[in-house]
Amino acid sequence: MLQNIWLIPLFPFVSSVLLILTAGQLPRRLIAIMGAGSVGLSALVVLAVGMQFMESQTPYTLTLWVWMQIGNFAPGFSFYVDQLTVVMMSVITGVGFLIHLYSTEFMDDDSDYSRYFAYMNMFVAAMLILVLADNLLLLYLGWEGVGVCSYLLVGFWYKDPVNGAASRKAFVITRVGDTAMALGLFLLFTELGTLQIQPMLDAANSRWVTGDTIPAIAALLLLGGAVGKSAQLPLHTWLPDAMAGPTPVSALIHAATMVTAGVYLIARTHGLFLLAPDVLMLVALVGLFTLLLAAFTALNQTDIKRILAYSTISQIGYMFLALGVGAWSAGIFHLMTHAFFKALLFLGAGAVVHCLHHEQNIFKMGGLRTKLPVVFWSFLIGSAALAALPFTSGFFSKDQILLSAFELHGSTGISTWVGPWLWAGGLVGAIVTAIYSFRLVFIVFYGEAKTEPDRQPGWRMAGPLSLLCVLSLIGGYFVLPLESVFPAAAEHHVSHLIEGISISIPLIGVFIAWLVYYKRSLPVEGFTESGFGKALRNFWYSGWAMDKLYDTLLVNPYTGTANAMRGEWLDKIYHGVVSLCQGLHALLSKSQGGKMRWYATSMVFGLIVLVTLVGWAS
Amino acid sequence: MEGLIIPLNHVLILASLLFATGLAGLMFRRNVIFILMSLEVMLNSAGLAFVAAGTAWAQADGQVMFMLILAVAAAEVSVGLGLVLQVHKRFKTLDMDQAHKLNG
C-alpha cells in the first residue's frame, strides 16, 4: 500500500483539474460528488497507508521522477512518509473531507459551486504535497500552492472589492514570510549542497555545533516563512481579514490546515532549530506574545468569525510555544486537536450565519440554544475544547504544552528561569481563552432572541458537525506515534499544585464569563465605559493597533511614494504620446460626419488641389 | 465630311460646362433624386467628350466608351434608385443631410 501514496494528492488534483476544465457545466450533484468524494477517497488511502505504517514503523521514500537536474542539484518529485506525515495527512484528509461534505450544503445557494470545489480540491492537493514532500523545494511548491488557493478562496466572492482587498492583503503579507523562507532554502543549499530534508538535517548536525551562526540564520529565515504562513507576530494581520471568504474555507484553510503549515515546517526541520537555541527561544517568545495579543483581541471582537480568527492565531501561538520549548509532539498534538475543535467551531459559526440570513454580529444573535440545538451542542463542545476544560481534547494538548514550558530545560540541561514565565503567560492566555470562548456561547445562544433562524442545518451540515464533536471530545485520548520522529520528551514531574492550577484555570475563566455575560452580575460596563476602559477596549478591538501601525509605517509611505512618482517626467512623455494619439483620433473621427455631400465636396477640392499641383510641377 | 463642322474645342467646353453643372448639383443639392440626376449629367458629359473626341480622330473607340458609360449609368441608376427607396423607407425623407447615421 505504501507504494500507492501518490494516489493521495492525485485524487483531489484530478478532480480539481476536471472541475476547472468543465467550467461549471456539470450537474450540481456530480460536482458535489467529485468535490467531496475525491477528498474522501484520499482519506481512505491515508487510512490504509496509516494502518500499514503502524506495523512497519520505518520511514518510506517514494521517488516518482526527478523534477529537474541542474548540475548537482536534482530535487526529486518524491514523497517521504513517517509518523509525522501520517498524522498530518490524516488531519488534512479527514477534517478536509468533513468540511467538503459540509460545503456541499453550505454553498448550495451559490452560483459558483464548481469553482468553489475546484479551488478547495486544489488546496487539499497542494497541502498534501506540502506534508508529503521529501525535499524543501517540493515542500515550497506545496507551500506556494496553498498560498494561491488561499488567495483565490478568500477572494471567492470577488464582486465585493473589500473581499478582493482582503485576499490581496493575505497574499502579500504571507509573501513577506515566503521570501524569507526562500532565502533560507538558498542558504541551506549553498551551505549543505542538498535540500532533501533528512540528509540535510544529518549534514547540518555533522557540520555545525550548537550555537553556530549559520544554522541560526537559516533557522531564523525558515521561522520567517513559518511566521507568515501561521499568522504569528509580526505577520499575523492578514488572518482576521481572511475571514472574508466562505466559512468552510476559514474552517479548512484558516483554522485546520494551512495556517498550521508553519508549525509543521518547524517540527519537520527541528534538527536545524536544535542547533540554534536562541532562535528556538525566539519561537517560544513569538508564540507567547502572539497568543496573549490575539486572546485579548478576541475578547473584544463583535464579529463571530473574527473572534474565531483571533482565537486561531492565539492557539497557533500555543503551538509555537510548544515548539520553542522543545515539546515537538505536544505542538503537533495541539495542532491535531485544534484542527478538530476549531473546524467544529468554524463550521458551527458557518451554520449560525447560514441560518440567520448572513448575520455575523454576535450582539444581533441570542437565544439560539433552543432554536438551533445541533449547532448549540457543537458550539458548546467546541468551546469547551478550546477553553481546555478537563477531559476534552484541548485540555490534554494544552496541558502538555504548559507543563513542558514550565519544565523548560536550557541548553545545559537544567531548568531555566524563563520556563515558569512562559508557563505563567500561557496560563493568562488560557484564562482569557476560556472567557472569550464562553462569552461567545453565552451571547449567541442564551439571552433573548434577536434574529429568527429561517432554516435548520440539513444532514450534510449536521453530520460533519456531530463527527467533529466526537473527535473534539475524544481527540485527547489519541496517542500519536511520534517518538521516533522527535527527540524524546522529558517526563513531567510537577507537583499537584501545578496540575491543580492547570485544571482550574479554564474553569475560573468559564465562571468569569458566566458571571459577566450570563448572570450580568459583574458590573464590567462601569469599567468599559470609563475613559481608560474605553481606550483600552478600542485598542484591543483594533488588534493592538497593528493594522494602523503597518498602515502608517509601510502601506501609506509606499502608496504615497507611488502617487508622488506618478507625475515624473518619464511618465509625462508617455502620457503626451497618449494624448497626441487621442487628439488625432478625435480630429479624424470628426471628419467622418456621415454626410455624403461633405465627402463629395472634399473629394472635389482634393482633386482640384492635386490637379493644380501636378499642373505646376509639369 | 459634309455640312457644318463643330470644332472639337467647342464640344469639349460644352462637356466641361455640363460636368460642372452636374458636379455643382452633386455638391449643393440635398435631395437624393437630384443627386442621382446630377450624376447622370456628369456621366453624359463624359460620354459627350468621348464621342466628340472619337469623331475628331475618326476612331470608333469613343463610341465604344460611350456604350460602356451608358451601361454603367443604367446599372448605377437601378442600384441608386433601390437605395433611394430604402433610404426613404428608413428615414422618411430624401434629404441626404438627414441620413448621417454612419458618422465616426
Side-chain angles (χ1 to χ4, degrees):
Chain A
M1 199 61 219
L2 274 176
Q3 64 278 5
N4 289 332
I5 47 170
W6 53 273
L7 283 172
I8 300 171
L10 189 74
F11 285 129
F13 181 75
V14 167
S15 160
S16 169
V17 169
L18 285 178
L19 287 174
I20 290 171
L21 290 181
T22 52
Q25 299 302 310
L26 297 177
R28 271 175 177 251
R29 254 190 110 75
L30 186 61
I31 294 171
I33 291 171
M34 277 169 69
S38 59
V39 184
L41 279 177
S42 296
L44 287 179
V45 181
V46 170
L47 193 69
V49 167
M51 294 275 213
Q52 198 190 347
F53 196 76
M54 287 304 118
E55 289 164 19
S56 64
Q57 291 283 355
T58 40
Y60 176 80
T61 309
L62 174 76
T63 302
L64 294 180
W65 65 82
V66 175
W67 190 3
M68 58 180 98
Q69 177 128 30
I70 304 157
N72 295 328
F73 180 54
F77 212 96
S78 42
F79 297 146
Y80 175 82
V81 185
D82 65 0
Q83 288 85 344
L84 177 59
T85 317
V86 171
V87 170
M88 291 299 292
M89 285 197 302
S90 314
V91 170
I92 294 163
T93 54
V95 176
F97 172 66
L98 293 178
I99 293 172
H100 274 76
L101 183 60
Y102 175 98
S103 304
T104 57
E105 183 177 333
F106 186 87
M107 297 301 286
D108 229 358
D109 304 335
D110 206 284
S111 51
D112 280 328
Y113 206 57
S114 171
R115 185 162 63 92
Y116 175 81
F117 280 104
Y119 291 167
M120 286 290 265
N121 282 345
M122 189 59 89
F123 168 79
V124 172
M127 190 70 204
L128 285 167
I129 287 178
L130 196 164
V131 296
L132 274 167
D134 101 311
N135 60 65
L136 283 175
L137 196 67
L138 191 58
L139 187 147
Y140 199 72
L141 176 76
W143 188 271
E144 294 299 317
V146 292
V148 170
C149 293
S150 161
Y151 166 78
L152 292 171
L153 283 164
V154 170
F156 183 74
W157 289 313
Y158 57 88
K159 282 172 190 160
D160 187 348
V162 176
N163 298 346
S167 61
R168 278 199 303 281
K169 185 175 175 186
F171 199 67
V172 170
I173 293 181
T174 48
R175 203 63 42 243
V176 176
D178 292 358
T179 311
M181 183 177 161
L183 292 177
L185 297 197
F186 301 153
L187 180 67
L188 284 172
F189 179 71
T190 44
E191 287 295 324
L192 300 173
T194 176
L195 281 179
Q196 266 199 307
I197 296 171
Q198 304 307 326
M200 188 196 82
L201 292 178
D202 293 341
N205 251 322
S206 56
R207 175 139 181 214
W208 295 312
V209 294
T210 309
D212 274 358
T213 321
I214 291 175
I217 295 173
L220 206 57
L221 288 168
L222 290 187
L223 173 64
V227 157
K229 205 56 137 192
S230 290
Q232 299 291 292
L233 270 177
L235 298 177
H236 67 287
T237 51
W238 63 270
L239 190 59
D241 286 1
M243 296 298 121
T247 313
V249 170
S250 314
L252 178 63
I253 301 184
H254 306 119
T257 52
M258 184 188 88
V259 287
T260 55
V263 179
Y264 169 79
L265 176 71
I266 295 180
R268 181 52 93 198
T269 56
H270 67 275
L272 185 68
F273 280 82
L274 282 175
L275 292 174
D278 294 340
V279 179
L280 212 49
M281 182 48 66
L282 183 66
V283 174
L285 290 177
V286 164
L288 180 67
F289 284 118
T290 311
L291 80 89
L292 287 174
L293 180 147
F296 280 106
T297 311
L299 198 53
N300 286 284
Q301 298 299 313
T302 55
D303 182 313
I304 188 166
K305 287 185 73 183
R306 280 181 89 88
I307 296 175
L308 293 178
Y310 277 109
S311 158
T312 304
I313 298 177
S314 173
Q315 295 304 308
I316 299 172
Y318 275 106
M319 296 175 211
F320 269 64
L321 179 63
L323 298 174
V325 299
W328 314 105
S329 17
I332 297 297
F333 190 32
H334 195 55
L335 188 161
M336 184 190 77
T337 57
H338 173 256
F340 295 153
F341 64 71
K342 192 49 68 63
L344 173 63
L345 282 171
F346 263 116
L347 294 187
V352 170
V353 173
H354 189 64
C355 297
L356 287 186
H357 336 277
H358 301 280
E359 180 57 65
Q360 297 203 359
N361 189 340
I362 56 169
F363 290 105
K364 292 186 180 160
M365 304 169 181
L368 294 175
R369 180 167 50 104
T370 45
K371 284 174 183 138
L372 297 171
V374 180
V375 184
F376 167 66
W377 283 105
S378 318
F379 234 93
L380 193 66
I381 292 170
S383 299
L386 171 60
L389 292 187
F391 311 115
T392 58
S393 58
F395 170 72
F396 291 98
S397 50
K398 205 178 273 182
D399 197 41
Q400 274 191 22
I401 293 174
L402 290 177
L403 290 184
S404 310
F406 187 73
E407 297 202 311
L408 175 65
H409 295 284
S411 46
T412 45
I414 45 168
S415 307
T416 64
W417 57 272
V418 195
W421 284 103
L422 293 175
W423 174 75
L427 280 186
V428 173
I431 197 165
V432 179
T433 307
I435 297 174
Y436 73 68
S437 48
F438 276 86
R439 164 182 182 257
L440 193 55
V441 171
F442 288 133
I443 290 179
V444 174
F445 293 99
Y446 289 85
E448 56 189 290
K450 296 187 183 102
T451 314
E452 281 297 314
D454 61 347
R455 53 182 140 184
Q456 288 289 327
W459 72 267
R460 283 175 299 171
M461 277 162 94
L465 282 175
S466 338
L467 270 173
L468 283 168
C469 279
V470 173
L471 286 172
S472 301
L473 283 176
I474 65 162
Y477 297 100
F478 293 172
V479 179
L480 298 185
L482 295 171
E483 309 84 32
S484 56
V485 183
F486 299 124
E491 287 286 312
H492 301 304
H493 306 287
V494 289
S495 62
H496 289 299
L497 177 68
I498 302 290
E499 293 258 2
I501 291 177
S502 350
I503 294 178
S504 53
I505 278 287
L507 293 172
I508 297 171
V510 175
F511 182 64
I512 295 174
W514 183 75
L515 280 182
V516 176
Y517 298 106
Y518 184 69
K519 294 284 279 184
R520 300 192 184 276
S521 53
L522 268 189
V524 282
E525 276 79 13
F527 174 68
T528 50
E529 293 308 315
S530 68
F532 173 70
K534 204 164 188 163
L536 188 67
R537 201 174 145 179
N538 284 337
F539 180 61
W540 281 350
Y541 179 76
S542 67
W544 299 49
M546 291 294 277
D547 270 332
K548 210 170 184 178
L549 181 73
Y550 288 157
D551 276 352
T552 348
L553 278 185
L554 301 167
V555 180
N556 290 344
Y558 181 79
T559 49
T561 318
N563 277 332
M565 296 300 276
R566 183 167 277 180
E568 46 95 38
W569 60 271
L570 204 63
D571 268 2
K572 276 198 178 124
I573 294 179
Y574 291 110
H575 285 305
V577 172
V578 172
S579 342
L580 184 70
C581 287
Q582 279 174 340
L584 286 177
H585 163 255
L587 207 66
L588 276 174
S589 93
K590 270 225 178 64
S591 72
Q592 301 285 312
K595 299 206 172 169
M596 223 181 58
R597 295 188 315 123
W598 161 250
Y599 297 162
T601 314
S602 353
M603 263 166 69
V604 169
F605 278 100
L607 205 66
I608 289 171
V609 168
L610 232 106
V611 169
T612 319
L613 281 181
V614 171
W616 246 340
S618 53
Chain B
M1 296 264 190
E2 295 295 315
L4 184 65
I5 295 177
I6 305 171
L8 179 63
N9 277 355
H10 292 193
V11 184
L12 287 183
I13 287 168
L14 178 65
S16 313
L17 283 174
L18 274 174
F19 189 85
T21 316
L23 191 59
L26 180 75
M27 279 157 61
F28 303 127
R29 277 286 179 174
R30 289 196 297 193
N31 191 315
V32 67
I33 302 279
F34 281 93
I35 292 176
L36 278 180
M37 282 167 64
S38 308
L39 278 175
E40 286 307 304
V41 172
M42 284 159 75
L43 280 170
N44 281 307
S45 72
L48 179 61
F50 268 120
V51 171
T55 317
W57 284 301
Q59 281 181 354
D61 297 7
Q63 322 277 358
V64 172
M65 280 311 286
F66 182 64
M67 300 306 280
L68 182 69
I69 286 172
L70 270 186
V72 167
E76 176 250 308
V77 159
S78 60
V79 173
L81 284 176
L83 285 174
V84 168
L85 279 176
Q86 286 301 317
V87 166
H88 188 254
K89 218 168 164 184
R90 187 142 306 179
F91 295 99
K92 304 283 171 232
T93 176
L94 289 177
D95 185 348
M96 284 317 281
D97 280 7
Q98 303 291 319
H100 57 86
K101 281 274 166 68
L102 261 176
N103 56 356

